[in-house]
Amino acid sequence: MNDWERELVATIIFGITYLLISGRQIRMLPLNRPAAALLGAVLMVSTGVLTPERAYRAVNYDTLVLLLAMMLISAYLYLAHFFEWAADSILGLSRTPQRLLLYLTLTSGVLSALLVNDTVCLMLAPLVIALVRRGKLPMLPYLIALATSANIGSVATLVGNPQNMIIGHLSQLPFAQFSRALLPVAIIGLTINYLILHFGFRSALRKAAIEHELRATPKLDRSLFAIICLVLLSIFGCFIIGLNLAWTALTGAALVMVLARRDTHEVLKLVDWHLLVFFAALFIVVDGLNDTGLPDSIYRHLQPLFGANATTQSWSLAAFSVAGSNIFSNVPFVLVAGKWMVHLAQPELMWQVLALSTTFAGNLTIVGSVANMIVVESVRDHLEVGFWDYARFGIPITILTTAAGVCLLLVLH
């Protein structure tokens, strides 16, 4: 197979794969995201675009190990009943619906910066639904707050979401340096997010009143929670001094497994293995496309649109990333766009802009991020969230948080 044929085959496989993982299942081929990505990876090898050895090398194992480690730690937090305790504490402290919205926004944002946003939504969504029902409150404001805040808060660290993990590996930016730039962006973003939701739902929140119901809930396992907190502090301390993110996190997760003395079968069942398979296969599919040189060709055609100085390139990259992340999904877009950073004026700044814009882009629509879909699927039995129900808040949140974030990065840089 000559180069032209390889490029054509790789592009067709790429297109089929992303059509299937975009959330629009084809009736003749009803595959979910992990299965679709796995099919794309197999096609890349079976058609000769990649050799099996090259496919193995394409997988970014550091990202998978880091993701696995954070999932394991989240699983132990779940077994310690931390999420139930947090939800009950928020409800107990909240005297008004508006304050509950604020506390939920902060909790979702902070937890997503420390853990993985998708995992936080997976753990918190059922509890938020129960919390809102117990308080007899309107469900939509709090569910949108959970999803959008998880996406925004996750931008603050290299372990907040999968695309940040990939950016950390590709850019080799130190953990502390990344967070110094992106933590203020996350704070500004969460503030804007709360103000938009507070204003947009002002009528519904004004009419509501929290009704506290007595209900037996599992007690926080304080000893297990203390172990996890100590390990997490140690992990982030090691991140700050520059140790390897993936193996530091996995060492911490293994330490919790030893000290917790819990049935590990129960813990491993809580790991989202589907997501790990999805990313492993995705690395292979994107590498097949990169190997053809097509992304470089696309960049050469787009380069005049990016401008020549850092300010213009920052705004152009942010706009292009928001659009690309919603067309192709943010993780595959980062894998492709990551090759362009060395050609831009200030690569360190551009990596930060890429992290910001691909993360905040997830708030644009329901299908913009996995976190959004987890929340919407969790509430399906209680509330049908339509495309516009979400988008009328997601669109202004995405535009304003991205614009404010880019401005702040340019000022700080």
Side-chain angles (χ1 to χ4, degrees):
M1 188 162 50
N2 60 41
D3 290 343
W4 183 86
E5 289 172 334
R6 286 180 69 251
E7 183 172 321
L8 177 62
V9 171
T11 304
I12 291 172
I13 294 171
F14 180 87
I16 292 172
T17 303
Y18 286 101
L19 177 64
L20 292 171
I21 70 172
S22 64
R24 296 178 286 274
Q25 289 189 356
I26 300 173
R27 185 175 299 177
M28 293 176 60
L29 207 60
L31 302 177
N32 62 12
R33 286 183 165 215
L38 196 58
L39 174 64
V42 170
L43 289 174
M44 284 291 184
V45 175
S46 61
T47 57
V49 173
L50 294 175
T51 63
E53 293 76 14
R54 179 63 185 268
Y56 290 132
R57 292 198 302 272
V59 178
N60 185 335
Y61 294 101
D62 272 351
T63 300
L64 297 184
V65 169
L66 181 55
L67 196 54
L68 171 62
M70 302 312 292
M71 286 179 179
L72 285 169
I73 293 171
S74 297
Y76 277 104
L77 282 172
Y78 177 79
L79 293 177
H81 305 297
F82 166 75
F83 295 103
E84 292 99 326
W85 171 81
D88 276 346
S89 298
I90 292 169
L91 186 60
L93 290 170
S94 305
R95 297 182 180 179
T96 66
Q98 293 86 349
R99 190 174 294 178
L100 177 60
L101 183 70
L102 174 62
Y103 291 162
L104 179 59
T105 298
L106 293 174
T107 302
S108 178
V110 170
L111 288 179
S112 294
L114 301 175
L115 305 169
V116 184
N117 61 340
D118 298 344
T119 304
V120 169
C121 284
L122 191 65
M123 300 293 186
L124 278 184
L127 300 174
V128 170
I129 292 167
L131 182 152
V132 169
R133 293 186 70 195
R134 282 167 53 195
K136 302 191 185 310
L137 296 166
M139 199 167 285
L140 188 61
Y142 301 101
L143 291 171
I144 293 180
L146 171 62
T148 54
S149 301
N151 288 329
I152 292 170
S154 72
V155 80
T157 68
L158 287 172
V159 297
N161 57 57
Q163 63 269 22
N164 278 12
M165 295 179 188
I166 294 168
I167 286 171
H169 176 77
L170 296 177
S171 68
Q172 296 298 307
L173 287 175
F175 184 90
Q177 184 178 329
F178 182 91
S179 290
R180 274 199 302 271
L182 274 302
L183 180 58
V185 169
I187 293 170
I188 291 293
L190 288 171
T191 303
I192 293 171
N193 189 49
Y194 171 72
L195 292 175
I196 290 174
L197 293 177
H198 181 275
F199 179 79
F201 288 107
R202 63 191 183 283
S203 178
L205 295 175
R206 195 182 300 123
K207 293 175 184 176
I210 296 177
E211 298 182 24
H212 295 273
E213 290 184 0
L214 295 175
R215 178 175 172 240
T217 54
K219 289 186 177 180
L220 178 68
D221 187 332
R222 295 184 183 277
S223 60
L224 179 56
F225 182 59
I227 291 170
I228 297 167
C229 287
L230 288 172
V231 170
L232 273 176
L233 285 172
S234 301
I235 288 172
F236 282 95
C238 293
F239 285 169
I240 290 170
I241 65 175
L243 296 186
N244 180 277
L245 297 182
W247 286 97
T248 298
L250 192 59
T251 300
L255 184 60
V256 174
M257 292 178 78
V258 172
L259 297 176
R261 302 179 67 183
R262 295 293 186 94
D263 182 2
T264 50
H265 287 89
E266 189 179 356
V267 176
L268 293 172
K269 286 178 183 176
L270 296 171
V271 172
D272 190 350
W273 299 105
H274 297 85
L275 190 60
L276 295 175
V277 170
F278 174 63
F279 284 120
L282 205 56
F283 285 127
I284 296 171
V285 173
V286 174
D287 195 64
L289 184 72
N290 284 338
D291 203 42
T292 65
L294 185 60
D296 293 328
S297 176
I298 293 172
Y299 173 75
R300 283 194 296 271
H301 285 88
L302 292 174
Q303 190 174 15
L305 301 176
F306 276 74
N309 59 66
T311 301
T312 305
Q313 288 180 355
S314 295
W315 288 109
S316 300
L317 178 62
F320 192 68
S321 297
V322 169
S325 295
N326 279 277
I327 295 170
F328 300 111
S329 189
N330 46 21
V331 171
F333 180 81
V334 165
L335 288 170
V336 172
K339 295 190 68 178
W340 305 341
M341 298 300 105
V342 294
H343 304 297
L344 299 177
Q346 297 183 29
E348 179 188 324
L349 173 62
M350 296 307 150
W351 280 115
Q352 294 167 359
V353 171
L354 183 66
L356 177 157
S357 51
T358 54
T359 298
F360 288 0
N363 284 330
L364 192 70
T365 67
I366 285 178
V367 297
S369 76
V370 176
N372 297 351
M373 290 186 281
I374 288 170
V375 172
V376 170
E377 285 298 308
S378 298
V379 78
R380 189 169 52 183
D381 293 337
H382 308 283
L383 178 70
E384 189 67 35
V385 182
F387 180 87
W388 182 245
D389 294 331
Y390 182 95
R392 66 194 178 101
F393 296 100
I395 292 171
I397 286 170
T398 300
I399 293 172
L400 292 177
T401 54
T402 303
V406 173
C407 286
L408 189 56
L409 281 181
L410 289 171
V411 169
L412 293 175
H413 198 79

